Amino acid sequence: MKPLPPSKNAQLAVAPPMPIETRVPASPGPGLLHAGHVFVSSEGHSVVIILGSCVAVCIWDPSQGIGGATHFMLPASDEKGVPSPRFGNVAISMLLQKLLEAGAVRGQLRAKIFGGGCLFDSMREPGANKVHLGSRNVDIALEMLAKAHIPVVSSEVGGDRGQRVVFCTDTGHSVRSWL
Protein backbone atom coordinates (compact mmCIF):
# COMPACT_ATOMS: atom_id res chain seq x y z
CA MET A 1 0.00 0.00 0.00
CA LYS A 2 1.25 3.50 -0.81
CA PRO A 3 1.88 6.05 1.97
CA LEU A 4 -0.93 8.52 2.45
CA PRO A 5 -0.35 12.04 1.06
CA PRO A 6 -0.92 15.09 3.32
CA SER A 7 -4.28 16.89 3.32
CA LYS A 8 -5.64 19.67 5.48
CA ASN A 9 -9.06 18.00 5.80
CA ALA A 10 -8.18 14.67 7.43
CA GLN A 11 -6.45 13.77 10.67
CA LEU A 12 -4.72 10.53 11.58
CA ALA A 13 -3.70 10.06 15.19
CA VAL A 14 -0.80 7.70 15.76
CA ALA A 15 0.29 6.27 19.09
CA PRO A 16 2.81 8.54 20.89
CA PRO A 17 5.63 9.43 20.65
CA MET A 18 4.71 9.89 16.99
CA PRO A 19 2.89 13.20 16.37
CA ILE A 20 -0.66 13.45 15.05
CA GLU A 21 -0.43 13.59 11.28
CA THR A 22 -2.79 14.88 8.62
CA ARG A 23 -3.39 12.34 5.85
CA VAL A 24 -5.97 11.01 3.40
CA PRO A 25 -6.02 7.87 1.24
CA ALA A 26 -3.53 7.90 -1.65
CA SER A 27 -6.01 6.86 -4.32
CA PRO A 28 -9.73 7.02 -4.98
CA GLY A 29 -9.86 3.54 -3.43
CA PRO A 30 -10.15 2.91 0.30
CA GLY A 31 -7.26 3.37 2.69
CA LEU A 32 -6.33 0.81 5.35
CA LEU A 33 -6.74 1.83 9.00
CA HIS A 34 -4.23 -0.09 11.10
CA ALA A 35 -4.65 -1.05 14.75
CA GLY A 36 -3.79 1.79 17.11
CA HIS A 37 -4.87 4.53 14.69
CA VAL A 38 -7.65 7.10 14.48
CA PHE A 39 -8.81 8.64 11.19
CA VAL A 40 -11.15 11.65 10.82
CA SER A 41 -12.12 13.53 7.68
CA SER A 42 -14.39 16.41 6.75
CA GLU A 43 -14.42 14.99 3.19
CA GLY A 44 -15.81 11.68 1.99
CA HIS A 45 -13.26 8.87 2.25
CA SER A 46 -13.55 5.12 2.43
CA VAL A 47 -11.62 3.44 5.20
CA VAL A 48 -10.87 -0.29 5.23
CA ILE A 49 -10.48 -2.03 8.58
CA ILE A 50 -9.44 -5.68 9.05
CA LEU A 51 -10.54 -7.06 12.42
CA GLY A 52 -10.29 -10.18 14.57
CA SER A 53 -10.61 -9.58 18.30
CA CYS A 54 -9.86 -5.89 17.65
CA VAL A 55 -12.79 -3.48 17.47
CA ALA A 56 -13.52 -0.64 15.07
CA VAL A 57 -15.72 2.23 16.19
CA CYS A 58 -16.97 4.32 13.28
CA ILE A 59 -18.66 7.64 14.07
CA TRP A 60 -20.07 10.28 11.75
CA ASP A 61 -22.20 13.40 11.75
CA PRO A 62 -24.69 13.00 8.87
CA SER A 63 -25.64 16.68 8.90
CA GLN A 64 -22.04 17.90 8.48
CA GLY A 65 -20.67 14.99 6.42
CA ILE A 66 -17.81 14.55 8.89
CA GLY A 67 -16.77 11.14 10.10
CA GLY A 68 -14.01 8.92 11.27
CA ALA A 69 -12.99 5.59 12.71
CA THR A 70 -10.67 4.02 15.19
CA HIS A 71 -9.23 0.51 15.32
CA PHE A 72 -8.10 -0.64 18.75
CA MET A 73 -6.61 -3.85 20.13
CA LEU A 74 -7.10 -3.72 23.90
CA PRO A 75 -10.01 -2.51 26.04
CA ALA A 76 -8.49 -0.06 28.51
CA SER A 77 -5.20 1.56 29.36
CA ASP A 78 -3.85 1.15 32.87
CA GLU A 79 -3.06 4.89 32.72
CA LYS A 80 0.55 4.25 33.81
CA GLY A 81 2.13 4.91 30.43
CA VAL A 82 1.66 7.36 27.60
CA PRO A 83 -1.98 7.30 26.37
CA SER A 84 -2.19 5.23 23.20
CA PRO A 85 -5.05 4.65 20.73
CA ARG A 86 -4.19 0.95 20.91
CA PHE A 87 -6.57 1.02 23.90
CA GLY A 88 -10.31 1.44 23.41
CA ASN A 89 -10.87 4.05 26.11
CA VAL A 90 -8.10 6.26 24.68
CA ALA A 91 -8.93 5.61 21.01
CA ILE A 92 -12.63 6.47 21.33
CA SER A 93 -11.85 9.64 23.31
CA MET A 94 -9.34 10.69 20.63
CA LEU A 95 -11.85 9.94 17.86
CA LEU A 96 -14.53 12.07 19.52
CA GLN A 97 -12.10 14.93 20.12
CA LYS A 98 -10.91 14.90 16.49
CA LEU A 99 -14.48 14.78 15.17
CA LEU A 100 -15.49 17.82 17.22
CA GLU A 101 -12.31 19.68 16.19
CA ALA A 102 -13.20 18.96 12.54
CA GLY A 103 -16.63 20.58 13.01
CA ALA A 104 -18.93 17.66 13.85
CA VAL A 105 -21.91 18.47 16.08
CA ARG A 106 -21.95 16.23 19.17
CA GLY A 107 -25.74 15.86 19.18
CA GLN A 108 -25.73 14.65 15.57
CA LEU A 109 -23.11 11.91 15.98
CA ARG A 110 -24.01 8.29 15.19
CA ALA A 111 -21.86 5.19 15.74
CA LYS A 112 -21.30 1.72 14.34
CA ILE A 113 -19.23 -1.00 16.03
CA PHE A 114 -17.48 -3.92 14.32
CA GLY A 115 -15.13 -6.76 15.32
CA GLY A 116 -14.65 -8.27 18.73
CA GLY A 117 -14.47 -11.81 17.45
CA CYS A 118 -13.29 -14.86 19.35
CA LEU A 119 -10.93 -16.57 16.93
CA PHE A 120 -9.55 -19.27 19.25
CA ASP A 121 -11.47 -22.52 19.68
CA SER A 122 -10.20 -22.94 23.25
CA MET A 123 -11.91 -19.70 24.31
CA ARG A 124 -15.27 -20.84 22.89
CA GLU A 125 -15.36 -24.22 24.65
CA PRO A 126 -18.16 -24.56 27.24
CA GLY A 127 -15.74 -24.93 30.15
CA ALA A 128 -13.50 -22.01 29.17
CA ASN A 129 -15.06 -19.70 31.83
CA LYS A 130 -13.20 -16.75 30.36
CA VAL A 131 -14.43 -13.55 28.81
CA HIS A 132 -12.40 -13.32 25.64
CA LEU A 133 -10.55 -10.20 24.54
CA GLY A 134 -12.94 -9.43 21.67
CA SER A 135 -15.92 -9.35 24.02
CA ARG A 136 -14.08 -7.04 26.43
CA ASN A 137 -13.20 -4.73 23.51
CA VAL A 138 -16.87 -4.55 22.49
CA ASP A 139 -17.90 -3.86 26.09
CA ILE A 140 -15.55 -0.86 26.41
CA ALA A 141 -16.78 0.55 23.08
CA LEU A 142 -20.42 0.32 24.19
CA GLU A 143 -19.59 1.79 27.60
CA MET A 144 -17.64 4.75 26.16
CA LEU A 145 -20.33 5.55 23.58
CA ALA A 146 -23.10 5.33 26.20
CA LYS A 147 -21.20 7.74 28.48
CA ALA A 148 -20.80 10.15 25.54
CA HIS A 149 -24.53 9.81 24.69
CA ILE A 150 -23.77 8.68 21.13
CA PRO A 151 -26.35 6.25 19.75
CA VAL A 152 -25.07 3.01 18.26
CA VAL A 153 -27.12 2.52 15.10
CA SER A 154 -25.42 -0.72 14.03
CA SER A 155 -23.34 -3.36 15.75
CA GLU A 156 -21.80 -6.31 13.90
CA VAL A 157 -19.65 -7.90 16.57
CA GLY A 158 -18.56 -11.30 17.80
CA GLY A 159 -18.32 -14.44 15.76
CA ASP A 160 -15.47 -16.85 15.25
CA ARG A 161 -13.93 -15.29 12.13
CA GLY A 162 -12.32 -12.03 11.20
CA GLN A 163 -14.13 -9.18 9.46
CA ARG A 164 -13.29 -6.75 6.69
CA VAL A 165 -15.15 -3.44 7.01
CA VAL A 166 -15.32 -0.56 4.55
CA PHE A 167 -16.66 2.63 6.17
CA CYS A 168 -17.53 5.86 4.32
CA THR A 169 -16.71 8.84 6.54
CA ASP A 170 -19.24 11.31 5.11
CA THR A 171 -22.33 9.10 4.86
CA GLY A 172 -21.76 6.46 7.53
CA HIS A 173 -22.39 3.75 4.94
CA SER A 174 -20.54 0.54 5.72
CA VAL A 175 -20.03 -2.88 4.21
CA ARG A 176 -18.85 -5.80 6.32
CA SER A 177 -17.67 -9.18 5.03
CA TRP A 178 -16.38 -12.22 6.88
CA LEU A 179 -12.80 -13.35 6.35
Side-chain angles (χ1 to χ4, degrees):
M1 175 163 259
K2 297 178 186 175
L4 301 173
S7 169
K8 63 180 168 104
N9 295 320
Q11 300 171 348
L12 178 67
V14 183
M18 296 178 72
I20 293 174
E21 299 177 22
T22 303
R23 300 188 182 259
V24 294
S27 67
L32 184 64
L33 183 64
H34 294 280
H37 290 108
V38 173
F39 179 83
V40 170
S41 179
S42 59
E43 296 177 352
H45 291 287
S46 294
V47 179
V48 175
I49 311 159
I50 307 296
L51 304 162
S53 61
C54 291
V55 165
V57 174
C58 304
I59 303 176
W60 77 103
D61 174 343
S63 65
Q64 301 297 316
I66 298 169
T70 186
H71 175 179
F72 62 89
M73 302 179 289
L74 301 166
S77 167
D78 63 7
E79 300 180 13
K80 292 181 181 178
V82 177
S84 169
R86 292 177 297 150
F87 298 97
N89 61 334
V90 175
I92 295 168
S93 293
M94 285 179 115
L95 176 58
L96 290 173
Q97 177 187 350
K98 296 295 171 197
L99 285 164
L100 296 174
E101 287 172 1
V105 177
R106 180 178 281 277
Q108 297 295 318
L109 295 176
R110 304 289 177 261
K112 293 183 177 186
I113 304 173
F114 301 93
C118 182
L119 292 105
F120 300 105
D121 290 334
S122 63
M123 294 298 289
R124 290 190 302 274
E125 293 174 0
N129 287 336
K130 298 177 185 174
V131 178
H132 64 84
L133 179 60
S135 178
R136 291 181 12 231
N137 281 338
V138 171
D139 289 345
I140 195 73
L142 292 169
E143 179 184 321
M144 296 285 298
L145 293 168
K147 284 182 183 177
H149 305 287
I150 297 172
V152 176
V153 299
S154 175
S155 176
E156 297 185 52
V157 298
D160 60 359
R161 297 170 29 200
Q163 298 183 33
R164 177 184 187 269
V165 177
V166 179
F167 174 72
C168 299
T169 60
D170 57 339
T171 64
H173 179 74
S174 59
V175 177
R176 191 246 328 133
S177 56
W178 293 107
L179 298 176

